[in-house]
Amino acid sequence: QKEVEQNSGPLSVPEGAIASLNCTYSDRGSQSFFWYRQYSGKSPELIMFIYSNGDKEDGRFTAQLNKASQYVSLLIRDSQPSDSATYLCAVPGAGTALIFGKGTTLSVSS
Amino acid sequence: EPEVTQTPSHQVTQMGQEVILRCVPISNHLYFYWYRQILGQKVEFLVSFYNNEISEKSEIFDDQFSVERPDGSNFTLKIRSTKLEDSAMYFCASTPTRITVNTEAFFGQGTRLTVV
């Protein structure tokens, strides 16, 4: 059974800072990784995915993947109060499911 | 922008009653899913559905649960005899293909089920 681990936080950063969110996964064979953002009481929405070692940038977001160490991270540059949410790391399961971590709660203070 | 829609947004039911949660997936998507999230816990996979049959189900998806695509647009989750521990947010999702390295799963806004 694939597992995804995240520090639940909360992670508190001031506005304009870089927020760093980390995720580790159990299955060395996992190929791709998804970062979802979930506002309180709302549904998950995809921020970005990554499947190659290294960095992938999309606007203020950078995903970093290190398959040898089995971790994936999400950096948020110039954090804004609107980034305050729970960030979910997910990997595809063996079949059709997405396996989610418990999420890290980010709080950006103005 | 196409979206997954769910109804109702909130359902309160008595323990032991049957509930049906409804979803309209994105029209050209082929895979449909139900996930649940108990308050404060992780999003958990329940079941996936493809080509009018269950593709995969988790240990949570026991005989009390069933899914159906009664027509060309709706996708339903039925809980036959609700228990207090079924109280959760239930999310429907859809994808155009089986989840691969770059497949985005689109989630509905969720149905909050409260069993009293």
Side-chain angles (χ1 to χ4, degrees):
Chain A
Q1 173 76 351
K2 296 188 180 187
E3 295 199 355
V4 177
E5 296 293 333
Q6 296 181 258
N7 186 328
S8 60
L11 173 66
S12 297
V13 301
E15 184 175 357
I18 295 175
S20 178
L21 305 157
N22 299 312
C23 168
T24 59
Y25 57 94
S26 62
D27 184 0
R28 187 170 289 278
S30 292
Q31 295 295 308
S32 61
F33 307 87
F34 299 83
W35 282 102
Y36 281 81
R37 177 176 61 200
Q38 186 178 32
Y39 292 111
S40 181
K42 303 296 185 183
S43 59
E45 53 181 341
L46 184 68
I47 299 174
M48 62 193 306
F49 57 85
I50 186 168
Y51 51 84
S52 299
N53 265 334
D55 295 1
K56 179 182 178 184
E57 188 175 314
D58 184 358
R60 294 188 296 112
F61 299 95
T62 298
Q64 299 175 318
L65 174 59
N66 183 324
K67 290 187 178 180
S69 300
Q70 294 179 238
Y71 83 78
V72 57
S73 61
L74 180 70
L75 302 180
I76 306 174
R77 289 182 300 282
D78 189 22
S79 296
Q80 301 296 309
S82 58
D83 295 324
S84 297
T86 297
Y87 290 81
L88 311 177
C89 177
V91 299
T96 55
L98 271 177
I99 310 299
F100 285 89
K102 195 171 179 182
T104 298
T105 298
L106 173 66
S107 176
V108 181
S109 56
S110 57
Chain B
E1 183 175 321
E3 60 180 10
V4 177
T5 57
Q6 291 184 240
T7 54
S9 57
H10 190 188
Q11 172 119 25
V12 181
T13 189
Q14 297 265 346
M15 192 168 51
Q17 294 297 304
E18 174 184 287
V19 294
I20 297 176
L21 310 183
R22 291 182 167 79
C23 168
V24 179
I26 293 173
S27 62
N28 62 346
H29 284 190
L30 301 178
Y31 284 81
F32 316 125
Y33 312 83
W34 285 102
Y35 289 81
R36 80 170 185 192
Q37 186 175 32
I38 296 171
L39 189 64
Q41 298 189 26
K42 65 173 67 174
V43 176
E44 299 175 292
F45 169 76
L46 293 179
V47 65
S48 61
F49 194 84
Y50 169 72
N51 199 26
N52 280 322
E53 61 184 22
I54 290 175
S55 181
E56 182 183 1
K57 60 184 180 179
S58 71
E59 293 175 351
I60 303 169
F61 194 88
D62 62 20
D63 292 344
Q64 293 297 311
F65 292 90
S66 62
V67 290
E68 191 178 34
R69 188 157 163 83
D71 54 42
S73 59
N74 290 286
F75 178 51
T76 62
L77 174 70
K78 182 192 291 186
I79 309 174
R80 283 188 235 297
S81 177
T82 50
K83 304 187 281 284
L84 294 176
E85 54 264 39
D86 293 327
S87 296
M89 182 76 95
Y90 289 80
F91 293 110
C92 176
S94 69
T95 55
T97 64
R98 182 187 180 101
I99 287 182
T100 61
V101 294
N102 59 359
T103 305
E104 177 175 0
F106 292 82
F107 285 80
Q109 78 276 24
T111 293
R112 179 163 298 284
L113 177 65
T114 303
V115 183
V116 297

